[in-house]
Amino acid sequence: MKKKAIFITIEGLEGSGKSSVIKFLHKFLRLKKFSVKIYREPGSTRIGEKIRNILLDKKNKELSRHTELLLYLAARTQLIEERLRRDFSKYDFIICDRFFDSTLAYQGFALGLGQIAEKGVKMFSLGIEPEITFFLDTQVKVGLKRLKNKDRIESRPLSFHNKLRGGFLRLAKKYPKRIKVIDASGSLDKIYNQIQGSIVKKFF
Ligand code: TMP
């Protein structure tokens, strides 16, 4: 039978500690002898990394919000067509550091592109949807304080980041089966336990 990887995405506010959660999850799944592939968005392909540089470069002040949306979608489509589709038959688990919920929250809610972002996501995710998504929720100000050398998106005003959190929480309400909200202000052990518990319950 053809293998079909379980697709997990990790979403979060700025400075919410996604990287350490991904490292933990990777280690946990590898200990259980699963094959695991990790990607990040935008990026993880040669073209996607170039797009990422355009998107995050603080010098690109004139980048319009519609162009921003299109670039995030373009990076994602490249990742799906170049890597993800192929990898679904090669790995047990694929973990992606951000995916389309970020577009819905950042461009859809926080930048106000609403339905255009929704339509774009639908068209250019090419039918790929995560089985489970962890949203790492933190206090906006606490997360932002953790950042050094803020990029173009991180440098946006507090009001943007507050809207962003509201956007993610609305998505979690809309898709309660898929999106698990994790209180990322607690201890690492507590965060890891919640994530591990959800994975075990759903997939083992
Ligand atoms: P990262 O720094 O968490 O890797 O993500 C890159 C930045 O891009 C982060 O500020 C979130 C933002 N982003 C969007 O605005 N829309 C998207 O669709 C994605 C994937 C990321």
Side-chain angles (χ1 to χ4, degrees):
M1 206 176 79
K2 217 175 160 196
K3 191 142 90 176
K4 165 79 173 72
I6 290 170
F7 185 33
I8 302 173
T9 58
I10 312 292
E11 300 281 359
L13 303 173
E14 305 294 350
S16 58
K18 285 185 287 107
S19 315
S20 60
V21 164
I22 290 167
K23 267 192 206 140
F24 160 77
L25 200 50
H26 183 234
K27 202 170 154 194
F28 167 67
L29 292 170
R30 292 292 297 134
L31 277 172
K32 301 267 176 214
K33 308 276 180 245
F34 291 115
S35 57
V36 185
K37 183 77 184 168
I38 298 176
Y39 286 121
R40 72 165 177 182
E41 265 235 76
S44 296
T45 63
R46 193 178 64 84
I47 290 167
E49 290 294 331
K50 287 189 174 190
I51 296 175
R52 181 184 178 91
N53 288 338
I54 297 174
L55 281 162
L56 300 188
D57 187 344
K58 260 179 139 157
K59 282 192 260 118
N60 292 335
K61 289 198 173 26
E62 72 277 35
L63 198 77
S64 85
R65 50 188 196 146
H66 289 97
T67 309
E68 177 176 314
L69 169 65
L70 289 167
L71 289 175
Y72 277 112
L73 296 176
R76 178 164 315 126
T77 308
Q78 187 64 34
L79 176 63
I80 293 171
E81 293 189 314
E82 190 184 323
R83 303 289 191 91
L84 278 185
R85 274 194 177 143
R86 180 201 64 190
D87 286 352
F88 275 116
S89 57
K90 281 175 65 179
Y91 294 92
D92 298 310
F93 284 87
I94 297 176
I95 302 172
C96 203
D97 181 345
R98 298 194 184 278
F99 201 62
F100 61 46
D101 294 300
S102 275
T103 313
L104 297 172
Y106 279 79
Q107 284 68 48
F109 286 98
L111 276 190
L113 290 178
Q115 283 193 355
I116 300 178
E118 275 178 42
K119 279 186 189 161
V121 160
K122 220 174 189 172
M123 279 170 82
F124 293 105
S125 302
L126 311 178
I128 302 230
E129 199 177 313
E131 260 98 341
I132 193 163
T133 298
F134 294 102
F135 166 57
L136 306 183
D137 188 24
T138 36
Q139 282 181 31
V140 173
K141 277 188 186 166
V142 174
L144 288 174
K145 260 197 195 146
R146 287 189 189 138
L147 305 173
K148 288 180 201 117
N149 301 321
K150 289 189 182 125
D151 62 34
R152 196 180 64 87
I153 309 275
E154 291 164 347
S155 314
R156 285 181 169 153
L158 188 61
S159 56
F160 173 89
H161 295 283
N162 282 328
K163 273 192 214 157
L164 180 66
R165 177 166 185 260
F168 272 121
L169 292 174
R170 270 170 72 174
L171 288 169
K173 256 197 170 154
K174 196 169 168 186
Y175 305 106
K177 277 203 178 136
R178 177 175 64 84
I179 304 181
K180 309 286 168 212
V181 180
I182 303 291
D183 176 5
S185 55
S187 71
L188 284 178
D189 274 352
K190 220 171 146 190
I191 297 169
Y192 296 164
N193 275 338
Q194 283 180 74
I195 289 179
Q196 184 174 319
S198 297
I199 298 283
V200 169
K201 196 169 157 203
K202 193 161 169 129
F203 304 112
F204 289 12

